[in-house]
Amino acid sequence: MPTTVTSRGRPVTAAQGNGPTPSANGRKSSRSRKVGRAVAVTGAAGAIGTVLLRALADAPEVGKVLAYDVRRGASEGVLWRVGDVRDPVLAQRLAGMDSVIHLAVDWSLDAAPSARSALNVRGTQTVVTAAAAAGVKRVVIVTSASVYGALPDNAVPLAEDAPLLAVPEGIVADLLEMERVAEDARRVHPGLEVVVVRPAALVGPGVDTLVTRHFSAPRLLSIKDTSPAWQFCHVEDLASALVVAAVADVPPVLTAGSDGYLDQRRIEEISGMKRVEVPAALALATAERLHRVGVTPAPASELAYAMHPLVVSSAGLRALGWRPTHTNEANLEAVLAEVRGATAIAGRRIGKRDAAVAGASAAGATVAVLGAAAFVRAARRARGR
């Protein structure tokens, strides 16, 4: 049945009027549904998964939702199964599912790289293999727009088929490997549709990324002679995009982000934060040194995301009628509200317990440079006395 989406990204069909009857609280009960797609979500108890489960519950094309994670989440109206996505028993759990949305990814800023990669890469491989064995029709893998890389000559916006030119370091290395797994799966499992969704920098409740920590710093970093372009994606907009990716006729790669972008001047206007301006060579060298000694969790290559444009078009989703409901301005306000009262020095948050991590494209190395610049200024003042 042909599927379109409303301006808020909600799938609808000509048969929508025959959908389930709302429950007493106005929500559709998944138990009462007789028709619709069966969708499984791995990592369902996380920050993105929680929002996604609500979006799936409201989607008229979805009849059953299986939530899979190492712990049971708070969402009701779905079928919960507890387990590790790297366990081969996953194939049995996915039996009868039409689509799987894979969110069981470790985005932690402070996790051991080997342990993080073991989950991210091997977990993705297992999900794809299990889905193929279970006869699932489609797997949706979430990576990040950061895999394109932030380069001075990037088109604004980038096309979804633009080459992946990011430096394979840190969490971005995991994301590039997950992209490779998706590409290999299309060849090895021709009966399985593999869709990759690449959101812009994620924001929203519970989101703690290198981007949000960038705005926890005492000052905003400005690199001389560069032209950054900031684009965000709210978790609610990502959730509606993932619903479309799970149920509609979509291309193999989708990007999702708010309309347009914010330049450095607009970022400063909205945030009200003062900036520290440093030469690129100094910023990169300082960030590299601080990462090498373990002061910052991000490699110096992450600094590129605060220097050069990285804006995606969301063309594939837009062709299906999807539209983001959050502007970049509103998203930045959400980040500022989320980090209010917290301070991040060298990419490490101080004064606030870390929340669930959900997002990747980042400029966390900038925070390290800010810390270094502060030390330099203090030393100069001391010598001038």
Side-chain angles (χ1 to χ4, degrees):
M1 180 179 296
T3 302
T4 58
V5 292
T6 68
S7 61
R8 296 183 64 85
R10 178 175 297 177
V12 296
T13 69
Q16 182 172 341
N18 298 324
T21 302
S23 61
N25 64 4
R27 274 195 180 277
K28 303 177 184 68
S29 170
S30 64
R31 297 178 184 275
S32 66
R33 292 175 178 172
K34 303 300 182 183
V35 296
R37 300 206 181 198
V39 180
V41 179
T42 68
I48 305 174
T50 300
V51 178
L52 175 59
L53 292 180
R54 290 198 299 267
L56 289 169
D58 288 338
E61 286 244 340
V62 177
K64 176 182 179 181
V65 180
L66 170 68
Y68 195 87
D69 210 326
V70 293
R71 62 182 176 86
R72 193 184 191 282
S75 300
E76 300 294 337
V78 301
L79 177 63
W80 281 96
R81 289 289 182 264
V82 176
D84 191 312
V85 292
R86 292 168 291 184
D87 189 334
V89 75
L90 179 63
Q92 300 175 27
R93 301 287 187 258
L94 297 181
M97 293 292 109
D98 295 303
S99 302
V100 177
I101 303 175
H102 178 46
L103 299 178
V105 177
D106 185 358
W107 306 98
S108 176
L109 306 181
D110 304 312
S114 58
R116 184 193 63 216
S117 297
L119 173 62
N120 295 347
V121 180
R122 188 154 61 88
T124 302
Q125 291 170 332
T126 305
V127 168
V128 169
T129 302
V136 174
K137 299 180 179 65
R138 180 181 300 175
V139 171
V140 180
I141 298 173
V142 180
T143 62
S144 166
S146 63
V147 296
Y148 291 111
L151 304 171
D153 58 349
N154 271 353
V156 178
L158 282 169
E160 285 163 324
D161 61 354
L164 308 186
L165 301 176
V167 177
E169 294 182 324
I171 184 67
V172 176
D174 289 359
L175 299 173
L176 289 169
E177 279 298 300
M178 291 167 61
E179 293 271 355
R180 183 189 58 77
V181 170
E183 185 176 351
D184 290 346
R186 296 184 185 108
R187 183 183 67 257
V188 176
H189 305 292
L192 178 67
E193 295 179 47
V194 181
V195 178
V196 175
V197 178
R198 301 167 181 161
L202 286 174
V203 305
V207 173
D208 175 26
T209 70
L210 289 170
V211 163
T212 62
R213 293 190 185 192
H214 175 73
F215 292 100
S216 296
R219 295 288 187 272
L220 282 175
L221 180 67
S222 176
I223 307 298
K224 289 183 179 178
D225 302 319
T226 63
S227 300
W230 295 81
Q231 183 188 37
F232 304 100
C233 180
H234 197 280
V235 289
E236 292 176 354
D237 288 331
L238 174 59
S240 66
L242 292 176
V243 173
V244 176
V247 304
D249 184 10
V250 297
V253 174
L254 297 167
T255 55
S258 293
D259 295 334
Y261 63 91
L262 304 177
D263 59 18
Q264 183 73 19
R265 180 189 60 80
R266 188 69 179 125
I267 288 285
E268 293 172 11
E269 287 179 353
I270 296 172
S271 68
M273 298 173 67
K274 296 180 180 180
R275 68 176 179 175
V276 173
E277 189 173 74
V278 296
L282 173 62
L284 290 166
T286 304
E288 177 58 35
R289 286 196 298 271
L290 292 178
H291 178 63
R292 192 184 313 123
V293 298
V295 174
T296 173
S301 57
E302 295 281 358
L303 192 59
Y305 297 100
M307 298 171 61
H308 308 305
L310 179 56
V311 180
V312 294
S313 67
S314 310
L317 286 166
R318 289 177 180 281
L320 292 165
W322 176 89
R323 297 293 184 273
T325 59
H326 299 261
T327 65
N328 282 308
E329 289 82 358
N331 284 331
L332 178 56
E333 293 284 2
V335 172
L336 297 172
E338 188 74 10
V339 303
R340 189 169 291 124
T343 301
I345 300 296
R348 299 190 186 280
R349 179 161 292 175
I350 300 172
K352 182 178 180 180
R353 183 178 179 180
D354 287 352
V357 177
S361 75
T366 63
V367 180
V369 179
L370 288 173
F375 286 128
V376 170
R377 291 196 306 274
R380 288 175 175 171
R381 286 196 298 268
R383 287 198 300 270
R385 290 175 183 171

